[in-house]
């Protein structure tokens, strides 16, 4: 019996083999960060693929921060790209001040390792939901009770999944 079949038999997966629904989804592309020599600053450049950041509880109940390609519907593999287990207090999702009006650049910054950071650019045409969605990302990453409440209110489904 493989691990997925075992998890299904134990009733830990939502649906019959379906991946868990994200608590929050945000249209966002990845960015490449290149350090500027002799400074603590970076040059960040957008990468072309249309993407989606998603925060979800995986089949084992662990919180995961993932990037998903919106065209191919593939999620970065664990250990490659953006697919990280997140523990409360482990990371924050913060707006990057670029000095240019209208930039919607954000960074996933891990607390224990200052060099462990990932940059994203928000891709939804309308920025009216940015503060709400990024606020939910931070709240659910760092407050298990809030994440559990959102999950329960959605019946284990798409709670807080605005921005899809």
């Amino acid at each position: 019996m493989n691990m997925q079949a075992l998890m299904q038999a134990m009733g830990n997966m939502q649906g019959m083999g379906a991946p868990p629904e994200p608590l929050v989804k945000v249209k966002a592309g990845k960015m490449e960060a290149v350090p500027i020599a002799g400074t603590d600053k970076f040059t960040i450049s957008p990468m072309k693929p249309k993407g989606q950041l998603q925060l979800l509880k995986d089949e084992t109940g662990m919180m995961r921060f993932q990037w998903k390609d919106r065209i191919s519907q593939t999620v970065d593999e664990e250990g490659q790209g953006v697919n990280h287990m997140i523990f409360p207090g482990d990371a924050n999702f913060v707006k990057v001040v670029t000095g240019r009006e209208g930039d919607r650049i954000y960074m996933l910054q891990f607390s224990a390792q200052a060099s462990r950071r990932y940059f994203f650019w928000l891709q939804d045409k309308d920025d009216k939901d940015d503060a709400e969605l990024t606020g939910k990302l931070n709240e659910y990453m760092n407050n298990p009770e809030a994440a559990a409440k959102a999950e329960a209110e959605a019946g284990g489904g798409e709670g807080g999944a605005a921005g899809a």
Side-chain angles (χ1 to χ4, degrees):
M1 180 179 271
N2 67 27
M3 186 57 117
Q4 184 174 4
L6 179 62
M7 296 297 279
Q8 282 180 323
M10 294 173 57
N12 285 341
M13 291 192 69
Q14 299 174 9
M16 296 305 291
E21 284 295 327
L23 294 168
V24 182
K25 298 187 271 190
V26 180
K27 290 179 182 175
K30 291 191 250 184
M31 300 190 80
E32 182 177 33
V34 178
I36 299 172
T39 73
D40 61 350
K41 297 183 180 188
F42 296 84
T43 298
I44 51 177
S45 304
M47 298 168 75
K48 288 188 179 203
K50 294 180 179 183
Q52 170 180 291
L53 293 175
Q54 54 188 30
L55 187 67
L56 55 86
K57 281 190 179 177
D58 68 14
E59 40 294 317
T60 65
M62 296 302 300
M63 191 67 71
R64 298 200 76 82
F65 185 99
Q66 300 176 329
W67 185 84
K68 178 179 178 178
D69 185 301
R70 287 190 284 139
I71 303 302
S72 68
Q73 294 296 300
T74 56
V75 174
D76 281 351
E77 291 189 31
E78 186 171 359
Q80 298 179 11
V82 180
N83 187 346
H84 305 285
M85 239 185 288
I86 301 284
F87 297 96
D90 198 23
N92 284 299
F93 193 70
V94 296
K95 186 168 179 65
V96 175
V97 177
T98 65
R100 294 190 319 222
E101 189 174 329
D103 276 357
R104 297 165 63 207
I105 311 299
Y106 284 79
M107 172 178 62
L108 176 67
Q109 175 70 64
F110 284 85
S111 305
Q113 293 175 294
S115 63
R116 190 172 173 206
R117 59 181 70 121
Y118 300 87
F119 294 91
F120 305 94
W121 59 287
L122 300 192
Q123 294 177 325
D124 201 310
K125 290 178 182 168
D126 192 349
D127 65 356
K128 68 179 175 55
D129 294 328
D130 289 1
E132 178 186 353
L133 292 171
T134 59
K136 283 182 180 181
L137 275 173
N138 276 312
E139 182 178 14
Y140 298 162
M141 279 193 304
N142 293 300
N143 183 344
E145 292 81 21
K149 182 179 178 190
E151 189 176 36
E153 286 174 356
E158 296 188 36

